[in-house]
Amino acid sequence: LLAIWQISVRVTGTRIFPGPLDVVRGVRQLFEQGILFAYIRDSLFRVLCGYFAAVILGIPVGILLSWYPLMADAFNPVIQLLRPISPLAWMPLAIIWFGVSNAAPIFLIFLASFFTIVVATMSGVRNMPPMYMQAGRNFGLTPTQMMRRVVLPAILPRVLTGLRIALGIA
């Protein structure tokens, strides 16, 4: 694949796309200048901030929207409208709102992850077998205990799948 890439760059004579040798030279140059690891650190900081903000907000929002049907009726159309919009399409707005700072890419990563996490959490709650709730009621669990002992363990597989997909998107 590397050979095909290099040959394609040479044959087309493009100056837009670098060949693999040019990429290696560029990485080596960044390393020699001592800024490669600073760039990696900054990128990881942005990804982790945006992703964890999406996790912290997305899971509770997904649970609330599934637990309260009126909220789902009100907000699910908005989520389904905004969800398919590419994070790259939000870039001009992010720059206008946040300027050219860390906040703009963190916002874009947050958006890319948030909707995936919300939808996965909602799916987990909605597809939970009704007998789990009935069993919890039979044992006399309070709503808080029901959430902690029944709902959260039941939705965990779907939420973890959504978190994994969202991390890949982030």
Side-chain angles (χ1 to χ4, degrees):
L1 288 176
L2 292 175
I4 292 171
W5 178 11
Q6 182 66 35
I7 292 169
S8 299
V9 169
R10 289 252 171 117
V11 168
T12 60
T14 181
R15 295 188 184 269
I16 297 173
F17 297 107
L21 298 175
D22 296 326
V23 171
V24 170
R25 277 189 226 113
V27 169
R28 189 180 71 228
Q29 189 177 39
L30 290 174
F31 179 77
E32 289 170 356
Q33 294 173 355
I35 56 178
L36 178 64
F37 292 111
Y39 287 168
I40 292 171
R41 182 196 65 226
D42 292 345
S43 293
L44 287 175
F45 170 77
R46 293 177 190 125
V47 168
L48 291 176
C49 286
Y51 178 74
F52 283 122
V55 169
I56 289 168
L57 290 174
I59 292 173
V61 166
I63 290 171
L64 284 173
L65 290 178
S66 296
W67 202 258
Y68 299 106
L70 289 176
M71 285 182 71
D73 291 344
F75 291 105
N76 195 35
V78 175
I79 289 172
Q80 296 307 327
L81 178 75
L82 297 177
R83 186 174 59 90
I85 298 174
S86 169
L88 296 177
W90 289 94
M91 197 177 298
L93 289 174
I95 291 171
I96 290 170
W97 291 338
F98 302 108
V100 183
S101 67
N102 275 341
I106 289 171
F107 171 73
L108 294 173
I109 292 166
F110 167 80
L111 278 180
S113 304
F114 177 76
F115 294 118
T116 303
I117 293 169
V118 169
V119 169
T121 304
M122 288 174 62
S123 172
V125 174
R126 287 184 177 163
N127 293 315
M128 185 175 56
M131 84 171 96
Y132 292 177
M133 297 298 288
Q134 293 167 352
R137 283 188 210 103
N138 288 342
F139 283 111
L141 297 179
T142 65
T144 304
Q145 290 173 326
M146 184 80 77
M147 183 63 68
R148 199 176 79 246
R149 291 184 173 185
V150 176
V151 175
L152 291 178
I155 68 171
L156 191 61
R158 288 194 190 234
V159 170
L160 289 176
T161 301
L163 293 176
R164 183 177 51 94
I165 291 169
L167 183 59
I169 294 169

